[in-house]
Amino acid sequence: MAAVFGVRHLSPACSLHLSAFLDQLQPQVVLIEGPSDCSDFIEAVVSAELTPPFAIMAYTDTTPVRSVLYPFACYSPEYVAMQWAHAHQVPCVFMDLPAAAFLENDTPAKPQANDQAQDQAVDLKLDEEDRWERMFEHETDGAKFTEALALFAHHLRQLQPPDALTLRREAFMRGVIDHYIESGIDAERIAVICGAYHGEGLETPSASGQAEKLPALSVRRTLMPYSYFRLASLSGYGAGNKAPAYYEQLWQYGREGHPDQAAAAYLSQLSFYQRKHGYSCSTAQVIEALQLAQSLAALRQETAPSLQDLKDAAIACMGEGRPTVLMEAFVDTEIGTAIGSLPQGLSQTAIQNDFYHALRTLKLQRYNTLTANLLELDLREKTTVKTEASAFLDLRRSMFLHRLRVLGVPFGTLRPGTQARGDWKESWDLKWSSTAEITLIEASLSGDSIASAAQFVLRRQLTQAQQLSECAAVMEEAFLCGLQESLDDALKAVQALAIDSSALEEIVRTARRLSTLLRFGSLRRMDSTAIEPLFHQLFYRALLLCPGSCQCDGKAARGVMEALGSINELSILHDHYMEETWLDVLTELSGRDDVHPLLGGYAAAIRLERGLLAEAELEQWISYRLSPGVPAEIAAASFEGLMLRNHYALIARAYLWRQLDEYIASLSDPDFQRILLVLRRAFGAYSAAEKQAVAQNLGSLWQLDEDSVAEVLNDELKQEEQDLLSELEDFDFGEF
Amino acid sequence: MENQKFQRLPAEILYQKELDTLIANEQYPVPPGWNMSPRSVFTYICGGRSGKLEITPKYIGNPRLVEIAIATLVTDRALLLIGEPGTAKSWLSEHLCVAINGDSTKVIQGTAGTSEEAIRYSWNYAMLIAKGPSEEALVKSPLLHAMESGSLVRFEEISRCASEVQDALISILSEKRVSVPELNLEIPAQKGFSLIATANTRDKGVNEMSAALKRRFNIVVLPAPGDLKTEMDIVTQRVGQLSGSLGLQAKMPDQDIVEQVVTIFRELRAGATLDGKLKVKTTSGVLSSAEAISLLANSMALAASFGDGKIRAADVAAGLQGAIVKDEAKDGVAWKDYLENILKKKGLAYYELYHACMELNK
């Protein structure tokens, strides 16, 4: 019987005891649970140029790409065994089924299947990893550890009997072991490193000598650099550690023979991080946290505090009882930023494969050159072709190129100006470069296909976004990339941020963006049902915020005015959306005295444009706003607001000009100068013809001859008039 | 029984049987000055079994928080329980004292008028004038008593005391002794002494605690009830007790109404819908379970006095409006936003309530 050492993948305690086990056994061959067709990677893995974390990956070369991943960190028992074998010049191979066996089924098999099973094992009201740490990670006695793990695996196997694939794997592994025994090596000196779950499966003798039929599926294999961030299962892979950096520390201190120092080191690192980021956190607090953690562990009759104990203690002693204070420090200290690297030229990642495959299917191969080529896309459905694939070929191309752009792969450059968000036309410059290839390999850290990597990048952008506009930008990216899931995530984030925003302009801008997606969503064949309620919420919120936002100073008023214009436009674009409420708001704005007069006037202008300001009401409004005694600036601003829209409608109403005339006549000279400035600015937006019409209005009011007025108006300016005008330029705005 | 005439009995009398059983069945080592082991304290508070006796849970919530609180007291560090009003801070501190010492009566009740003497010591002035400073003339505070006997002292509502008064604790907690310079005397704390303080975070009239003082505490934040069902249970149970003792002639509110009120409170408090899909703008009020309880009791009083005794949506709506909109300008917008975007879409069950609320916001 071979010497089997059961491990849990990614467990420092296992690695520690494994080293001692190998030193004692001095095996002649080391067999490791891992895809047997990947054994040729072991040489590269143990080379000095490789820095963990890394992963062995196998993937199908046909679409849809399925992949299976074996991640390793410096504290992985398998990695430790490979290094041991290399140092002692002992042969070392993988002994599990070839990777293809895991890719046959549609669902990718998880190499750490036994970890998943533990979920159902025992419920101690702790999460699985914490439970594991409490039971095993702090056990320093090798014999006790092995015994306890074997017992645990035994119970696990009874709760969760092996499935067909597992049985096949175990039979295959037994075959490999038998092969080495037959070749003359003493069974006692064959070291077998496999998941503890398989221990019992390997002990039962092979039922038959029948050779395992190997799957015929063709797969590609590669080594790839990995990161602690990905290992920490934040990127969707379940098989990892939640706290790789913390586990690395357990491993380092354990190897040096001071396992008890890991807890103090962890807490000190937290306090270091806190101090560096401006929080006060004293050494005394670290000591108190350590005491509390130890006392928490003692409450459960455990020898050393687990990560959860340390965290809870840190929150109570260093974070004033609030986890949020320490959250960043936790992430930094537990996950860390370690990224692995490989010897050069080793990587042929799945994402590269996906890229070239996409070039083929999207008929973009001829653009894969070193010179830039123009590609014009028409995103609309082509009705003349037969298959759906070619009907939307350009749309799929566009999504592909946008995804690459999100990943930062400089393959295609979108020509500026052609990218009206909802437009159906896009122009790209395509060019292959070695930088593109390198960034593509780097992108493999984010995902195994272009789509999943882009999705990952967008999600990261989303978690970092703090401004509504940033989230909205991600939302648009997701829309352009055709990533439905990212779009839904982004919508959720936008909703969350919009709730806390009380800036009218930002909300309206976001609503505008949503409106674009709503109206053009069908062009990109995206599901826009989730957008509608959010649009409604933002729109309604904007309406609620209007009266408050309009009580502002002159500086802010221009921005708010634009927002009012946008709301009106959106309401019309979306089939008179919430029109009644919107018009109520406008009526309120135009009637109130405490909003900025420019905005009051503007609201009246919109009402006039929508045909909801009756003649009598307009006349009353004008006469109210231009009552004698109203300060010149306020009256002028009201009038300016009114004049900014529907010029002709205003020109046609003679009483309006009569009232303006009467008001101006009532002003003193300095007041007149002030109002002149505002009026001049207001009329700046009028065309020559409109100005002439205004002049004619006033002319007839003053009973002047139309022609002579026009003559004066369109004449060159005289010198003294020029002077007067330039005097106005220097006008002191005083309290404006 | 003579005890019957009191409004409320101390916990050590109410739960005497459980305490005795736990002490009798002790299996683990007992720290000095404690009546039972930390594990038994945990069982007493979170419920479980001791011998043949079922121990009722006293604190319903995250047991991990109780573990941290107990572990803190084992290390003889002081414990600070922080939380919004109505999160069972005082309740938990009382039961910790009862379990550990069998005595919850050493307590300082903090107010804005609490003076430093109430924390350290004061004098029997008649005796002080008659005999001069002597130990007989010394009036010891509960804290000093606890130090001498090596037991726990509770400090309720510590954040309501003036900051200078709070800071009297700083040196006591680090040196674990009180000096009486008038008598040239130092009173050291016996093993087992510790302090449990409770503090409100979101309330008017509280003083910020100094960083130096906070540093001397291990802080545990007690959250509002974790899920809808727990909170509904608490609310229903307490409304029942209240209406009984107040003699209200109304029917108990339907579970539907309780669920609706608790749901609205929870969503506005958490700033998100229960399913976590949508974020909700929060309001300035605390909206604790205690407020939900008084809102429902109030609706019952309305229905009993002016209606047919059955609670209707309109009765609840008025109470909701008052509980939620505390600051007209800000809360008003948030509440309308909530009504339009969340409540309106909750479907038929909420239809009546939605309309009753909208009527008030016309």
Side-chain angles (χ1 to χ4, degrees), chain A residues 26-30 46 81-92 189:
Chain A
Q26 290 296 329
Q28 287 178 330
V29 62
V30 175
V46 294
M82 286 185 245
Q83 281 181 315
W84 189 94
H86 177 68
H88 293 78
Q89 302 199 324
V90 169
C92 172
R189 300 198 54 195

Side-chain angles (χ1 to χ4, degrees), chain A residues 719-734:
Chain A
Q719 188 54 45
E720 50 190 302
E721 286 166 341
Q722 282 284 16
D723 290 347
L724 258 175
L725 271 179
S726 50
E727 232 174 84
L728 272 180
E729 307 283 335
D730 304 331
F731 184 75
D732 174 20
F733 277 78

Side-chain angles (χ1 to χ4, degrees), chain A residues 125 134 282 284-285 288 291-292 295-296 299-301 308-309 312-313 315-317 320-322 492 495-497 499-501 533 536-537 540-541 544-545 578, chain B residues 28-29 38-39 63-64 67-68 70-72 74-75 77 82 201 214-215 217-221 276-282 333 336-337 340-342 345 358:
Chain A
K125 287 197 175 164
R134 286 174 191 282
S282 66
Q285 277 165 293
E288 282 141 15
Q291 274 178 347
L292 178 57
S295 129
L296 273 172
L299 211 58
R300 295 176 182 273
Q301 258 86 50
Q308 193 58 48
D309 292 334
D312 286 339
I315 291 168
C317 299
E320 301 196 348
R322 286 167 214 291
K492 211 169 150 182
Q495 195 268 343
L497 281 177
I499 277 295
D500 286 332
S501 170
H536 173 78
Q537 189 177 13
Y540 184 66
R541 208 171 147 65
L544 284 178
L545 285 172
M578 299 195 78
Chain B
Y28 298 98
R39 281 190 166 220
R64 183 69 179 165
E67 275 186 17
I68 295 172
I70 298 172
T72 296
V74 175
T75 63
R77 284 264 290 169
I82 291 187
T201 42
K214 272 191 186 167
R215 254 238 341 94
F217 286 104
N218 285 1
I219 303 177
V220 173
V221 177
K277 282 195 183 143
L278 290 175
K279 199 169 168 181
V280 172
K281 194 154 182 61
T282 52
V333 170
K336 274 194 230 173
D337 200 336
E340 173 70 23
N341 285 315
I342 314 283
K345 304 200 170 126
M358 277 316 259

